[in-house]
Amino acid sequence: MTNHQDIPTLFQTSTVIFDGAMGTELYRRNIFTNRCYDELCLSQPELIRQIHQDYADAGADVLTTNSFGANQVSLGHFGLAEQTADINRRAAKLAREVADQSERAILVAGSIGPAAASEKATAAQLQAAQAAYLVEGGVDFILFETMPDRQAIQACAEAMANLPDTPFAISFTIFDNLESSRGEALECLLAPLPGTARQPFAWGLNCGVGPDAMLSAVEKAVSLTPLPLIVQPNAGTPKRIENRTVYLCSPEYLTTYAKRFTDLGARAVGGCCGTTPDHIRDMARSLKPLTQKRVQIEHVTLSESVELKEPVPFAQRSKLAYKLANGQWLKTIELLPPRGFDMTSTIQKAKTCYRQGIDAINLPDGPRASCRLSPFYTAMRIEQEAHIETILHFCCRDRNLIGMQADLLACAAAGVANILFVTGDPPKLGNYPFQISGVFDTDAIGIARVQDRLNRGVDLGGQAICPQTAAVIGVGADPNAIDMKRELRRIREKVEAGADFIITQPVFDPEALLRFLDDIQELGTPVIAGVWPLASYRNATFMQNEVPGVVVPDQIMQRMASVESREDQLAMGIQIAREIVQRIRDRLAGIQVSAPFGNVSTALAVTNA
């Protein structure tokens, strides 16, 4: 068992993956709703143990006991009131056995649902008895689930009065209007409990709605409480198929929203009705590399003798900075570092770009979680041998904060001044999703803030750096983000962290980019638009379906499909890219044109138009 005092800290510092629905799994195994699901802990313990094992194998950090309705009144409806203690203790022991046999740390949450009682005092008494039995069985904390209103929430706190050493969390249900069944708003439901009542270590939102409706609730809830938030939506809206209730939400769909929940600030995610081990497996694979103890770089403690220096004047930091400062049009081309270590071809391409008047070479850092030659080494060689500046992409996936800070100092020592900070694609997107783990100590906002401090002569530990760095800080943006409100919030946070310029994802819809520029106009930060000349219809299909953050409109797909030969499709891709640049040019600081498949001539056909 985990030390009870460590549980609140764990939820404050890590992203925790809960399991999914117990009832859904029992229903899938032909245990129908006329049975008492809680009693199965006694009559079919291997079945319950196997479901816990399936969730543990899927990657869940928390197993929830099969005891949701195991209070004396609810069990009494099945003639099982006298077995209340045995059912709860056995429910806890079954989950405990699976957790203890795991090679990694897994918590056990004692599940308690709403008590079927009309009086609050009676509800608290029923839940207090159930909680005591679950603690005797070995749970790490109590999880009150699906509470319908504020009265039920208060009863939960009262139920824990006699268990002062046991942590507990309270999760409640809201509906599409973001209110309880009694019409209570989130502000009421999440308010601190009154008087001397014990406070939960975390709040939760579960059941009631699917992922999309839950997103709005999470966005509001995180601003209303300092406590960790547990989010467990249903797997979409249930459908009736051949007299069975079926949830049709795919694991990938639920994971997409789980990422948004954690980005908004949720500390734990899982699933309620309709979620299965497949949903939790996809969620764990995608979220754990992104969220393991991510550090928020907001405050750096300075030594008493250290003072922040004035940064090097922006226009003096690089040729790129000089052009940005003076409003001169920038032309940059993106080249990928080689897969091996032979730099010959890459240097020749960079020299060609220099002769054609290109201002800088963009160098991605492990794009789509692929393994290539170090972009830092590639940048040094290009700047030394091709005499053209680079924009080094710097991602947070592969190094901890100590390593990242060391690399930023190395950039300063080598004279690589232009750096684009990105969070980075998770390893799951690459060729080794199961062998490789991401680090993600922080994200693009956090590391930009570290670089801004280095530019002022102070490192992450508050120690003086002499001389100070003079990096030009770039950040990424997605003008086609599904959650545009979040994207705009993060862009503003990136600028507050010290961003000097913005580079967008490849733009195929000029109007979407122009709307995005309108939304961030007040920031005054120069924007460089990503432009991708499509090499073929197949390339367009790949970009539309498999590259995160890229939206290729149907009209462009139709234009690419309107010509048959590979040469004509390439010409069409170049023409479309030129039209996009022409439409957006007067609103931008410049363009970053990708060289598809390393073909620099294709990119130059766009920049030189």
Side-chain angles (χ1 to χ4, degrees), residues 119-439:
E119 296 295 331
K120 182 180 70 170
T122 306
Q125 291 168 5
L126 291 171
Q127 292 173 324
Q130 191 178 353
Y133 299 140
L134 289 167
V135 170
E136 290 174 11
V139 301
D140 294 298
F141 65 96
I142 297 296
L143 176 63
F144 294 97
E145 298 186 275
T146 324
M147 293 301 124
D149 50 40
R150 180 69 176 183
Q151 179 174 300
I153 288 171
Q154 292 176 344
C156 296
E158 293 176 21
M160 297 302 295
N162 294 326
L163 294 170
D165 297 327
T166 303
F168 68 98
I170 303 177
S171 188
F172 54 84
T173 298
I174 49 90
F175 298 94
D176 290 338
N177 57 1
L178 304 190
E179 295 178 348
S180 72
S181 58
R182 291 190 175 186
E184 299 159 313
L186 278 171
E187 289 85 348
C188 171
L189 297 168
L190 288 168
L193 295 168
T196 59
R198 289 190 60 198
Q199 303 294 317
F201 76 83
W203 289 108
L205 298 167
N206 81 290
C207 207
V209 296
D212 187 65
M214 189 69 84
L215 185 66
S216 299
V218 172
E219 186 171 20
K220 187 174 182 180
V222 293
S223 67
L224 296 174
T225 177
L227 297 180
L229 189 68
I230 304 167
V231 184
Q232 296 175 282
N234 291 338
T237 302
K239 308 291 184 184
R240 292 292 295 178
I241 299 177
E242 296 182 354
N243 296 319
R244 292 177 69 98
T245 301
V246 178
Y247 289 81
L248 301 177
C249 166
S250 71
E252 293 79 9
Y253 180 82
L254 185 60
T255 295
T256 297
Y257 277 89
K259 289 179 181 178
R260 295 175 190 169
F261 299 151
T262 58
D263 286 337
L264 286 171
R267 302 309 308 170
V269 291
C272 203
C273 301
T275 53
T276 69
D278 288 339
H279 291 86
I280 301 306
R281 181 176 294 106
D282 193 81
M283 191 183 298
R285 286 176 180 171
S286 298
L287 286 181
K288 285 184 177 180
L290 289 173
T291 55
Q292 290 175 344
K293 296 188 178 179
R294 182 176 295 178
V295 178
Q296 298 298 324
I297 310 301
E298 295 183 359
H299 303 287
V300 177
T301 302
L302 305 181
S303 300
E304 291 183 3
S305 59
V306 175
E307 294 183 1
L308 291 173
K309 300 176 182 178
E310 282 296 316
V312 172
F314 180 64
Q316 298 177 20
R317 298 183 201 174
S318 70
K319 294 177 183 177
L320 181 88
Y322 180 86
K323 283 201 163 188
L324 286 171
N326 289 278
Q328 298 181 23
W329 178 253
L330 282 165
K331 296 187 294 184
T332 71
I333 286 180
E334 181 179 273
L335 290 176
L336 297 179
R339 289 194 181 277
F341 56 86
D342 184 353
M343 287 281 297
T344 305
S345 175
T346 304
I347 296 295
Q348 289 302 319
K349 292 174 182 178
K351 288 181 176 179
T352 299
C353 291
Y354 175 70
R355 289 192 296 268
Q356 292 294 320
I358 299 303
D359 295 297
I361 301 296
N362 284 272
L363 294 169
D365 186 354
R368 293 186 58 76
S370 63
C371 181
R372 291 177 176 270
L373 182 64
S374 161
F376 170 58
Y377 178 77
T378 305
M380 285 197 306
R381 290 281 303 275
I382 287 175
E383 296 202 5
Q384 291 169 0
E385 299 178 36
H387 310 295
I388 183 173
E389 284 192 349
T390 60
I391 300 175
L392 174 65
H393 296 202
F394 190 103
C395 86
C396 303
R397 176 188 56 241
D398 307 316
R399 293 152 286 194
N400 65 20
L401 277 164
I402 296 174
M404 285 190 280
Q405 185 174 245
D407 287 344
L408 294 177
L409 294 175
C411 289
V416 177
N418 310 309
I419 307 178
L420 179 77
F421 293 103
V422 296
T423 300
D425 294 323
K428 183 183 177 184
L429 291 179
N431 296 322
Y432 352 81
F434 307 114
Q435 298 95 328
I436 304 299
S437 298
V439 180

Side-chain angles (χ1 to χ4, degrees), residues 353-590:
C353 291
Y354 175 70
R355 289 192 296 268
Q356 292 294 320
I358 299 303
D359 295 297
I361 301 296
N362 284 272
L363 294 169
D365 186 354
R368 293 186 58 76
S370 63
C371 181
R372 291 177 176 270
L373 182 64
S374 161
F376 170 58
Y377 178 77
T378 305
M380 285 197 306
R381 290 281 303 275
I382 287 175
E383 296 202 5
Q384 291 169 0
E385 299 178 36
H387 310 295
I388 183 173
E389 284 192 349
T390 60
I391 300 175
L392 174 65
H393 296 202
F394 190 103
C395 86
C396 303
R397 176 188 56 241
D398 307 316
R399 293 152 286 194
N400 65 20
L401 277 164
I402 296 174
M404 285 190 280
Q405 185 174 245
D407 287 344
L408 294 177
L409 294 175
C411 289
V416 177
N418 310 309
I419 307 178
L420 179 77
F421 293 103
V422 296
T423 300
D425 294 323
K428 183 183 177 184
L429 291 179
N431 296 322
Y432 352 81
F434 307 114
Q435 298 95 328
I436 304 299
S437 298
V439 180
F440 294 108
D441 265 5
T442 188
D443 59 9
I445 299 169
I447 196 62
R449 190 172 286 116
V450 170
Q451 180 65 78
D452 182 63
R453 287 293 180 133
L454 293 174
N455 281 358
R456 297 170 186 269
V458 181
D459 73 2
L460 181 60
Q463 307 301 309
I465 295 294
C466 188
Q468 70 205 85
T469 63
V472 184
I473 302 174
V475 294
D478 180 6
N480 297 296
I482 296 174
D483 188 353
M484 184 54 67
K485 187 175 181 180
R486 170 183 176 272
E487 182 69 16
L488 293 173
R489 172 178 58 79
R490 285 182 59 83
I491 282 293
R492 292 185 175 90
E493 290 176 357
K494 290 176 181 180
V495 172
E496 291 171 1
D500 298 309
F501 68 97
I502 297 167
I503 296 183
T504 74
Q505 289 276 26
V507 174
F508 293 99
D509 183 356
E511 303 310 315
L513 174 63
L514 294 175
R515 289 192 297 271
F516 179 77
L517 294 174
D518 289 339
D519 289 334
I520 65 170
Q521 187 172 3
E522 80 281 0
L523 299 177
T525 308
V527 177
I528 298 171
V531 178
W532 184 292
L534 296 167
S536 63
Y537 179 73
R538 180 179 178 181
N539 180 220
T541 302
F542 174 81
M543 295 294 290
Q544 185 184 52
N545 292 286
E546 298 193 40
V547 180
V550 173
V551 176
V552 183
D554 290 341
Q555 60 182 8
I556 288 182
M557 297 298 296
Q558 293 167 3
R559 289 181 65 182
M560 292 298 297
S562 67
V563 289
E564 295 184 1
S565 71
R566 190 68 176 262
E567 293 76 14
D568 288 343
Q569 289 177 358
L570 175 60
M572 179 63 75
I574 292 172
Q575 178 60 33
I576 291 171
R578 288 173 173 173
E579 293 171 5
I580 291 171
V581 173
Q582 187 63 32
R583 177 73 180 91
I584 61 181
R585 177 173 177 137
D586 62 349
R587 298 287 305 278
L588 298 168

